[in-house]
Amino acid sequence: MKKTILMQKYPVYSLELSKEEIKVSSADEAVEYFKEKIINHPIAEFIAIFDHYSHTKKLGGEMIDGLKDAKNIVFCFGQAIPNTKILAARPRSIGICEFKDKIVIDFMEAPREELHTVMENWAKGLKR
């Protein structure tokens, strides 16, 4: 996984996978893969799928060249509310972008290292 700082403040982790090296062949299949991981996790709660591609297309918004699909799977690991600010870091989202020959997975760094590791392992688990 590659860590970058988006807009000089958001720590984002990315994994770019060739379609030849992964278990899925589309963004929709990747969404289902992550949904299963979330549902089977002892504290994660599935919330929704957001079709970012259709939303942006409907608005006439700009999109990166070659993008075929873009979805977010929204979920939460929250098992405690120790303060009001923790809600700003929740829920979590994993972005899934499909191109002709690859799928790109992106998510922001989680506040708890062990849950961040869970998301990294889920993403890496897409490899054959």
PDB file of all heavy atoms in Angstrom, residues 71-89:
ATOM      1  N   LYS A  71     -17.036   3.718  -6.788  1.00  0.00           N
ATOM      2  CA  LYS A  71     -18.005   3.510  -5.715  1.00  0.00           C
ATOM      3  C   LYS A  71     -17.303   3.630  -4.369  1.00  0.00           C
ATOM      4  O   LYS A  71     -16.113   3.388  -4.255  1.00  0.00           O
ATOM      5  CB  LYS A  71     -18.652   2.135  -5.844  1.00  0.00           C
ATOM      6  CG  LYS A  71     -19.546   2.018  -7.072  1.00  0.00           C
ATOM      7  CD  LYS A  71     -20.402   0.791  -7.019  1.00  0.00           C
ATOM      8  CE  LYS A  71     -21.481   0.793  -8.056  1.00  0.00           C
ATOM      9  NZ  LYS A  71     -21.074   0.753  -9.419  1.00  0.00           N
ATOM     10  N   ASN A  72     -18.089   3.997  -3.351  1.00  0.00           N
ATOM     11  CA  ASN A  72     -17.617   3.994  -1.967  1.00  0.00           C
ATOM     12  C   ASN A  72     -18.469   3.001  -1.193  1.00  0.00           C
ATOM     13  O   ASN A  72     -19.692   3.005  -1.319  1.00  0.00           O
ATOM     14  CB  ASN A  72     -17.788   5.365  -1.310  1.00  0.00           C
ATOM     15  CG  ASN A  72     -16.856   6.395  -1.866  1.00  0.00           C
ATOM     16  OD1 ASN A  72     -17.132   6.976  -2.900  1.00  0.00           O
ATOM     17  ND2 ASN A  72     -15.751   6.616  -1.175  1.00  0.00           N
ATOM     18  N   ILE A  73     -17.807   2.196  -0.388  1.00  0.00           N
ATOM     19  CA  ILE A  73     -18.523   1.344   0.552  1.00  0.00           C
ATOM     20  C   ILE A  73     -18.346   1.999   1.919  1.00  0.00           C
ATOM     21  O   ILE A  73     -17.228   2.280   2.349  1.00  0.00           O
ATOM     22  CB  ILE A  73     -18.063  -0.126   0.511  1.00  0.00           C
ATOM     23  CG1 ILE A  73     -18.963  -0.978   1.411  1.00  0.00           C
ATOM     24  CG2 ILE A  73     -16.599  -0.290   0.810  1.00  0.00           C
ATOM     25  CD1 ILE A  73     -18.964  -2.455   1.082  1.00  0.00           C
ATOM     26  N   VAL A  74     -19.446   2.317   2.558  1.00  0.00           N
ATOM     27  CA  VAL A  74     -19.451   3.069   3.808  1.00  0.00           C
ATOM     28  C   VAL A  74     -19.803   2.123   4.956  1.00  0.00           C
ATOM     29  O   VAL A  74     -20.761   1.353   4.866  1.00  0.00           O
ATOM     30  CB  VAL A  74     -20.471   4.239   3.742  1.00  0.00           C
ATOM     31  CG1 VAL A  74     -20.395   5.091   4.996  1.00  0.00           C
ATOM     32  CG2 VAL A  74     -20.230   5.086   2.491  1.00  0.00           C
ATOM     33  N   PHE A  75     -19.007   2.207   6.027  1.00  0.00           N
ATOM     34  CA  PHE A  75     -19.195   1.316   7.169  1.00  0.00           C
ATOM     35  C   PHE A  75     -18.601   1.977   8.407  1.00  0.00           C
ATOM     36  O   PHE A  75     -17.965   3.029   8.319  1.00  0.00           O
ATOM     37  CB  PHE A  75     -18.518  -0.041   6.909  1.00  0.00           C
ATOM     38  CG  PHE A  75     -17.035   0.055   6.721  1.00  0.00           C
ATOM     39  CD1 PHE A  75     -16.175  -0.264   7.757  1.00  0.00           C
ATOM     40  CD2 PHE A  75     -16.494   0.477   5.523  1.00  0.00           C
ATOM     41  CE1 PHE A  75     -14.799  -0.160   7.598  1.00  0.00           C
ATOM     42  CE2 PHE A  75     -15.118   0.581   5.347  1.00  0.00           C
ATOM     43  CZ  PHE A  75     -14.268   0.250   6.395  1.00  0.00           C
ATOM     44  N   CYS A  76     -18.810   1.351   9.563  1.00  0.00           N
ATOM     45  CA  CYS A  76     -18.279   1.923  10.803  1.00  0.00           C
ATOM     46  C   CYS A  76     -17.709   0.829  11.688  1.00  0.00           C
ATOM     47  O   CYS A  76     -18.288  -0.245  11.809  1.00  0.00           O
ATOM     48  CB  CYS A  76     -19.381   2.671  11.548  1.00  0.00           C
ATOM     49  SG  CYS A  76     -18.746   3.644  12.920  1.00  0.00           S
ATOM     50  N   PHE A  77     -16.567   1.121  12.298  1.00  0.00           N
ATOM     51  CA  PHE A  77     -15.949   0.255  13.297  1.00  0.00           C
ATOM     52  C   PHE A  77     -16.278   0.724  14.712  1.00  0.00           C
ATOM     53  O   PHE A  77     -15.855   0.125  15.671  1.00  0.00           O
ATOM     54  CB  PHE A  77     -14.419   0.275  13.169  1.00  0.00           C
ATOM     55  CG  PHE A  77     -13.841  -0.534  12.054  1.00  0.00           C
ATOM     56  CD1 PHE A  77     -12.974   0.058  11.145  1.00  0.00           C
ATOM     57  CD2 PHE A  77     -14.116  -1.883  11.916  1.00  0.00           C
ATOM     58  CE1 PHE A  77     -12.384  -0.682  10.132  1.00  0.00           C
ATOM     59  CE2 PHE A  77     -13.531  -2.632  10.904  1.00  0.00           C
ATOM     60  CZ  PHE A  77     -12.661  -2.024  10.011  1.00  0.00           C
ATOM     61  N   GLY A  78     -16.976   1.848  14.855  1.00  0.00           N
ATOM     62  CA  GLY A  78     -17.178   2.486  16.158  1.00  0.00           C
ATOM     63  C   GLY A  78     -17.821   1.598  17.206  1.00  0.00           C
ATOM     64  O   GLY A  78     -18.961   1.190  17.060  1.00  0.00           O
ATOM     65  N   GLN A  79     -17.087   1.328  18.262  1.00  0.00           N
ATOM     66  CA  GLN A  79     -17.629   0.535  19.365  1.00  0.00           C
ATOM     67  C   GLN A  79     -17.652   1.323  20.665  1.00  0.00           C
ATOM     68  O   GLN A  79     -18.043   0.807  21.705  1.00  0.00           O
ATOM     69  CB  GLN A  79     -16.839  -0.759  19.538  1.00  0.00           C
ATOM     70  CG  GLN A  79     -15.395  -0.562  19.912  1.00  0.00           C
ATOM     71  CD  GLN A  79     -14.611  -1.866  19.889  1.00  0.00           C
ATOM     72  OE1 GLN A  79     -14.899  -2.750  19.098  1.00  0.00           O
ATOM     73  NE2 GLN A  79     -13.639  -1.991  20.750  1.00  0.00           N
ATOM     74  N   ALA A  80     -17.225   2.586  20.595  1.00  0.00           N
ATOM     75  CA  ALA A  80     -17.254   3.467  21.767  1.00  0.00           C
ATOM     76  C   ALA A  80     -17.315   4.915  21.286  1.00  0.00           C
ATOM     77  O   ALA A  80     -16.918   5.217  20.158  1.00  0.00           O
ATOM     78  CB  ALA A  80     -16.004   3.259  22.624  1.00  0.00           C
ATOM     79  N   ILE A  81     -17.821   5.764  22.140  1.00  0.00           N
ATOM     80  CA  ILE A  81     -17.840   7.202  21.851  1.00  0.00           C
ATOM     81  C   ILE A  81     -17.167   7.896  23.038  1.00  0.00           C
ATOM     82  O   ILE A  81     -17.835   8.381  23.953  1.00  0.00           O
ATOM     83  CB  ILE A  81     -19.280   7.720  21.629  1.00  0.00           C
ATOM     84  CG1 ILE A  81     -19.961   6.919  20.506  1.00  0.00           C
ATOM     85  CG2 ILE A  81     -19.257   9.219  21.283  1.00  0.00           C
ATOM     86  CD1 ILE A  81     -21.416   7.245  20.303  1.00  0.00           C
ATOM     87  N   PRO A  82     -15.824   7.928  23.045  1.00  0.00           N
ATOM     88  CA  PRO A  82     -15.089   8.494  24.171  1.00  0.00           C
ATOM     89  C   PRO A  82     -15.151  10.022  24.240  1.00  0.00           C
ATOM     90  O   PRO A  82     -14.866  10.610  25.283  1.00  0.00           O
ATOM     91  CB  PRO A  82     -13.658   8.012  23.943  1.00  0.00           C
ATOM     92  CG  PRO A  82     -13.569   7.832  22.463  1.00  0.00           C
ATOM     93  CD  PRO A  82     -14.936   7.385  22.035  1.00  0.00           C
ATOM     94  N   ASN A  83     -15.502  10.647  23.114  1.00  0.00           N
ATOM     95  CA  ASN A  83     -15.627  12.108  23.052  1.00  0.00           C
ATOM     96  C   ASN A  83     -16.441  12.465  21.809  1.00  0.00           C
ATOM     97  O   ASN A  83     -16.714  11.603  20.979  1.00  0.00           O
ATOM     98  CB  ASN A  83     -14.239  12.780  23.042  1.00  0.00           C
ATOM     99  CG  ASN A  83     -13.387  12.290  21.887  1.00  0.00           C
ATOM    100  OD1 ASN A  83     -13.774  12.416  20.721  1.00  0.00           O
ATOM    101  ND2 ASN A  83     -12.245  11.693  22.197  1.00  0.00           N
ATOM    102  N   THR A  84     -16.800  13.717  21.691  1.00  0.00           N
ATOM    103  CA  THR A  84     -17.621  14.138  20.553  1.00  0.00           C
ATOM    104  C   THR A  84     -16.842  14.156  19.248  1.00  0.00           C
ATOM    105  O   THR A  84     -17.412  13.940  18.191  1.00  0.00           O
ATOM    106  CB  THR A  84     -18.205  15.541  20.800  1.00  0.00           C
ATOM    107  OG1 THR A  84     -17.133  16.478  20.955  1.00  0.00           O
ATOM    108  CG2 THR A  84     -19.112  15.551  22.008  1.00  0.00           C
ATOM    109  N   LYS A  85     -15.555  14.395  19.317  1.00  0.00           N
ATOM    110  CA  LYS A  85     -14.737  14.550  18.116  1.00  0.00           C
ATOM    111  C   LYS A  85     -14.534  13.250  17.339  1.00  0.00           C
ATOM    112  O   LYS A  85     -14.289  13.276  16.137  1.00  0.00           O
ATOM    113  CB  LYS A  85     -13.402  15.180  18.476  1.00  0.00           C
ATOM    114  CG  LYS A  85     -13.574  16.631  18.924  1.00  0.00           C
ATOM    115  CD  LYS A  85     -12.339  17.143  19.627  1.00  0.00           C
ATOM    116  CE  LYS A  85     -12.550  18.530  20.177  1.00  0.00           C
ATOM    117  NZ  LYS A  85     -13.673  18.666  21.098  1.00  0.00           N
ATOM    118  N   ILE A  86     -14.645  12.111  18.007  1.00  0.00           N
ATOM    119  CA  ILE A  86     -14.429  10.833  17.326  1.00  0.00           C
ATOM    120  C   ILE A  86     -15.437  10.636  16.200  1.00  0.00           C
ATOM    121  O   ILE A  86     -15.143   9.973  15.193  1.00  0.00           O
ATOM    122  CB  ILE A  86     -14.428   9.644  18.320  1.00  0.00           C
ATOM    123  CG1 ILE A  86     -13.829   8.386  17.661  1.00  0.00           C
ATOM    124  CG2 ILE A  86     -15.812   9.352  18.831  1.00  0.00           C
ATOM    125  CD1 ILE A  86     -12.379   8.472  17.333  1.00  0.00           C
ATOM    126  N   LEU A  87     -16.611  11.230  16.317  1.00  0.00           N
ATOM    127  CA  LEU A  87     -17.610  11.103  15.261  1.00  0.00           C
ATOM    128  C   LEU A  87     -17.162  11.760  13.962  1.00  0.00           C
ATOM    129  O   LEU A  87     -17.630  11.385  12.881  1.00  0.00           O
ATOM    130  CB  LEU A  87     -18.957  11.667  15.706  1.00  0.00           C
ATOM    131  CG  LEU A  87     -19.826  10.670  16.486  1.00  0.00           C
ATOM    132  CD1 LEU A  87     -19.263  10.366  17.863  1.00  0.00           C
ATOM    133  CD2 LEU A  87     -21.235  11.163  16.579  1.00  0.00           C
ATOM    134  N   ALA A  88     -16.235  12.709  14.034  1.00  0.00           N
ATOM    135  CA  ALA A  88     -15.703  13.344  12.820  1.00  0.00           C
ATOM    136  C   ALA A  88     -14.861  12.369  12.008  1.00  0.00           C
ATOM    137  O   ALA A  88     -14.697  12.541  10.802  1.00  0.00           O
ATOM    138  CB  ALA A  88     -14.876  14.571  13.191  1.00  0.00           C
ATOM    139  N   ALA A  89     -14.340  11.333  12.650  1.00  0.00           N
ATOM    140  CA  ALA A  89     -13.515  10.334  11.969  1.00  0.00           C
ATOM    141  C   ALA A  89     -14.341   9.127  11.527  1.00  0.00           C
ATOM    142  O   ALA A  89     -13.801   8.185  10.969  1.00  0.00           O
ATOM    143  CB  ALA A  89     -12.396   9.873  12.891  1.00  0.00           C
TER     144      ALA A  89
END
